[in-house]
Amino acid sequence: LLFLLQLHTISANNAPFCFASGVTWSSPVVSGVQSVETPEECQQICADSNNCDSLTWYNGQASPHPYYCEMYLNPDSSTTVPCSNCSSGPESCTCSGEFTCSLDTDQLVYLLFDVTSEMSCAELCFESSECLFYSWYSPNHPILQDTCALLRECIKRTGSDTCFSGPSNCMDTDIIESEFPLCFDEGKTWIEDRSKGVANITSPYECQSLCDADSECSSFTWFDILSSPYPNFCEFFKSELSEPEAPCTDCVSGLSSCTCSQSDYQTCDTSQEPVINIIQEIESEIKCQDLCARHTDCTWYTYYSTEGDRLKNTCILLESCNTKMTCQGCSSGPDTCKNIDQTGLHPQCSNYKILDSYTRNVITRGNIGFKLCGGSHNYCTDELGQDNAHPDWAGEDWYRFSKPGGTQIAEDGPWTTHQCGTAFGGYMIGGHPSVEEGTATRTVYFDENGTPNRPTNITVINC
């Protein structure tokens, strides 16, 4: 009986395969929990925390804190230091996504059968010096049930709900990098006829950017340098297409923009929403969205750019986005734009122009002898082509008010004669719609010396 108890104790103290024994970090400790008997329990505590992605577990022989779980957030890998009776690792030994990788002979190290769990496949990859990525095919896969592919790298990713692929080491972010983000579909295009083609385009990102700049393009397919008969070729497709289903060789397809985020206004309130992870040194919003798309629990993200007012180049992964806030230099969006109708995110909430000229603020007087907008008049106008047009007006489109222009369109009147930098200021009746109401029609009147005139219907939405 004593022998069996001793075996149990040793087994309980064994660290998961992805842990390193005898080392920790000199980075700041987020928190610590006592009486944690196993490293797996420490992992679970870290995974359940909003401020932990790495941990150090101290066993029963550690002093002065036996069975202690120490938690870190984005520790600096260059700051590892030795520790006694300890082991360190990530919050999870797997950080996979639902996609397959190419099984080309150049990439495949081994193909192993009868591997009944993803964790076992991940461990086999971790223990192989040649394996940097793995793909585990679940029992529901139509061909490769319970099969583990050990790979040198993951290329030509394709979405799959029966295969899980991930890096050998979840602490190594360089390995996690992919050839293309998940918002691109490799090896597929549309059956519809293309609307336009552009030659000599050397990357899918350039092709996507050209599509985004074209008002008639909603989706694209890019053919790489190996494609025949049109290498480095970019195809445009018009709006309202189905999912890409037609096979193509050496090609990548996607929407005109991977992201459909809201910027600065009505972004996710990260102090109220469940935060999954905070990742620093992320150089683009697309990469932040891709990290969210690869995380099982992530449905929204907030990305702070180099212009962020609180954080910079930082990606926050979120479980939801029900509470909103205002921030500068940040954007919030869903993990994918392919089902944008299901997210409740209206396109006009992320694609609009700004009215921010002080000349249209309600406190700015017009027609008082001072040429606010230049030209030959003492007042400003929203008529394009006039020499006294407001500098922020660009014709009919979706607009959002921003300081110093104001925060919203005036609702009260009539009292706006000679206000808003013009002769006859406008005001909206009916009030602003609620978020639940969605897009609404309202009427704007223009105050001519106390009389509401020139009724004009406008469309308004509360994002």
Side-chain angles (χ1 to χ4, degrees), residues 430-445:
H432 284 73
S434 64
V435 173
E436 293 74 21
E437 190 175 352
T439 303
T441 299
R442 296 289 187 265
T443 301
V444 169
Y445 287 93

Side-chain angles (χ1 to χ4, degrees), residues 168-184:
S168 61
N169 184 357
C170 291
M171 300 290 290
D172 191 343
T173 55
D174 292 335
I175 295 177
I176 298 176
E177 293 291 335
S178 65
E179 183 177 6
F180 298 121
L182 290 182
C183 59
F184 288 177

Side-chain angles (χ1 to χ4, degrees), residues 259-446:
T259 61
C260 43
S261 57
Q262 299 175 173
S263 301
D264 299 337
Y265 299 91
Q266 296 295 312
T267 53
C268 305
D269 188 344
T270 51
S271 66
Q272 301 293 325
E273 298 295 339
V275 174
I276 297 170
N277 202 355
I278 301 173
I279 309 168
Q280 297 177 320
E281 298 182 7
I282 303 300
E283 69 275 8
S284 70
E285 184 184 347
I286 291 179
K287 182 176 179 181
C288 180
Q289 183 200 44
D290 196 49
L291 289 169
C292 180
R294 296 179 192 282
H295 197 290
T296 305
D297 298 325
C298 184
T299 62
W300 283 78
Y301 66 87
T302 291
Y303 175 68
Y304 285 85
S305 69
T306 54
E307 307 299 324
D309 58 353
R310 298 169 184 158
L311 302 166
K312 299 185 186 302
N313 290 344
T314 299
C315 177
I316 303 177
L317 307 185
L318 303 165
E319 290 183 11
S320 58
C321 182
N322 299 314
T323 309
K324 304 297 179 66
M325 68 175 187
T326 297
C327 63
Q328 298 297 318
C330 73
S331 303
S332 292
D335 60 331
T336 176
C337 297
K338 292 182 178 180
N339 299 312
I340 190 170
D341 292 338
Q342 299 177 16
T343 69
L345 180 64
H346 302 277
Q348 55 267 42
C349 291
S350 59
N351 186 15
Y352 55 82
K353 294 180 172 60
I354 295 291
L355 297 176
D356 60 357
S357 173
Y358 79 97
T359 59
R360 66 173 64 255
N361 193 298
V362 72
I363 65 173
T364 302
R365 298 280 292 172
N367 206 26
I368 56 172
F370 179 70
K371 296 178 174 58
L372 285 171
C373 294
S376 56
H377 301 279
N378 295 330
Y379 58 87
C380 302
T381 181
D382 280 341
E383 295 182 23
L384 289 177
Q386 299 298 314
D387 59 6
N388 61 327
H390 280 291
D392 57 5
W393 184 247
E396 182 176 328
D397 209 329
W398 284 96
Y399 288 89
R400 184 192 291 276
F401 280 90
S402 179
K403 296 178 181 180
T407 57
Q408 64 179 31
I409 192 170
E411 292 184 330
D412 301 321
W415 55 267
T416 52
T417 296
H418 303 323
Q419 302 297 122
C420 308
T422 191
F424 308 124
Y427 60 93
M428 181 180 72
I429 63 170
H432 284 73
S434 64
V435 173
E436 293 74 21
E437 190 175 352
T439 303
T441 299
R442 296 289 187 265
T443 301
V444 169
Y445 287 93
F446 294 88

